[in-house]
Amino acid sequence: MSNSLFELQQTMGYVFRDLGLLRTALTHSSFANENKCESNERMEFLGDSILNFLVAEKLFESRLDAGEMTVARAAAVSRNPLAKAVEKLGALDYLRLGVGAEKEKHVSVKFKSDIFECLIGAIYLDSRSLDECRKFIFAFLSLDGKSNDDYKSRLQEYVQDKQLGTVKYCTRSVGEGKTPWFKSEVSIDGKTIGSGYGCRKKEAEKDAAQEAYNFLTSHGGK
């Protein structure tokens, strides 16, 4: 495991003082429950906050206005680019999943994106340095101004062009307490092809549209 983690650290561009933090960042709750150890869930929370701050900070240095910065940040920290970064890192090869967890069910786009945030959290806890987090983040994420904010339009245009049917969204509240949280499912002629989550209905629908668009384009519209 040490040799493997050495290779991962080389790819990350950061060498840990406490290798246990990196192991925790790669530990799914199923493994933690079975082995009585800490999962990566708390690191994900920390990493998500750091990621959003550092991306916002970098965008603030640009000439974009507030609305453009909001769109650019949403694009940069959305699930797909984070998941692709994790794939590029090869971090999925080092995940610690429980015996009872089926890998293909847990390693979704959301799960992969969470891992990237966990790695950010681990780097910060090990270094206590935002500079180290900044180096890691922007080595794998790009702020080129391209946004995936308009996936609903992309999906609609694609479906119309391929004459696949009628696009419909079913969005409902799934949050409890004071914090609103929504889940949206997008379907074509009654067949669900994508789902998404967000703190607002529009965000959940955009997330669902992105998943549906990516699914259709990767499967030739089938």
Side-chain angles (χ1 to χ4, degrees):
M1 175 65 81
S2 295
N3 290 335
S4 297
L5 289 180
F6 174 77
E7 293 171 3
L8 177 58
Q9 291 172 93
Q10 292 296 107
T11 307
M12 291 175 63
Y14 180 82
V15 177
F16 282 80
R17 299 178 181 87
D18 182 356
L19 207 54
L21 291 170
L22 179 55
R23 291 195 182 95
T24 299
L26 299 166
T27 301
H28 187 259
S29 58
S30 60
F31 183 95
N33 292 335
E34 291 174 10
N35 294 273
K36 309 300 181 185
C37 62
E38 185 177 0
S39 75
N40 57 16
E41 292 177 348
R42 280 160 42 86
M43 282 188 182
E44 178 197 338
F45 175 85
L46 176 62
D48 174 66
S49 299
I50 294 170
L51 173 63
N52 276 279
F53 168 72
L54 292 179
V55 169
E57 177 190 57
K58 194 170 184 69
L59 287 170
F60 186 79
E61 298 168 357
S62 70
R63 294 178 179 273
L64 299 176
D65 62 30
E68 291 171 328
M69 286 193 292
T70 299
V71 171
R73 183 179 62 178
V77 304
S78 62
R79 292 176 184 174
N80 275 354
L82 302 188
K84 288 178 181 177
V86 168
E87 292 171 355
K88 185 177 180 180
L89 282 162
L92 299 178
D93 294 335
Y94 310 103
L95 296 181
R96 299 203 295 178
L97 294 171
V99 175
E102 296 180 38
K103 191 169 185 178
E104 61 273 16
K105 289 185 178 180
H106 289 279
V107 187
S108 60
V109 172
K110 181 183 183 305
F111 182 85
K112 293 175 188 177
S113 66
D114 291 345
I115 293 297
F116 190 77
E117 294 170 345
C118 292
L119 293 173
I120 296 170
I123 290 173
Y124 179 77
L125 290 171
D126 190 69
S127 65
R128 297 294 173 175
S129 168
L130 288 177
D131 283 337
E132 292 294 345
C133 295
R134 191 178 287 110
K135 291 175 188 175
F136 172 70
I137 290 168
F138 297 116
F140 294 94
L141 292 185
S142 173
L143 297 182
D144 56 8
K146 294 180 181 179
S147 172
N148 58 10
D149 190 59
D150 200 27
Y151 268 96
K152 289 185 71 174
S153 295
R154 291 193 197 183
L155 177 63
Q156 187 65 41
E157 290 171 4
Y158 185 87
V159 170
Q160 288 178 346
D161 182 60
K162 299 292 183 180
Q163 297 182 336
L164 300 178
T166 302
V167 177
K168 289 186 178 180
Y169 294 86
C170 177
T171 307
R172 65 184 186 278
S173 174
V174 294
E176 296 181 359
K178 297 181 179 179
T179 303
W181 197 244
F182 297 91
K183 178 180 181 180
S184 180
E185 294 181 334
V186 58
S187 62
I188 297 177
D189 285 352
K191 181 181 179 181
T192 301
I193 56 171
S195 62
Y197 295 86
C199 58
R200 291 181 295 182
K201 288 183 178 181
K202 287 185 178 180
E203 291 178 358
E205 290 177 357
K206 290 174 183 176
D207 198 31
Q210 181 177 350
E211 182 174 285
Y213 178 83
N214 290 337
F215 173 80
L216 289 176
T217 55
S218 63
H219 288 76
K222 298 179 180 180

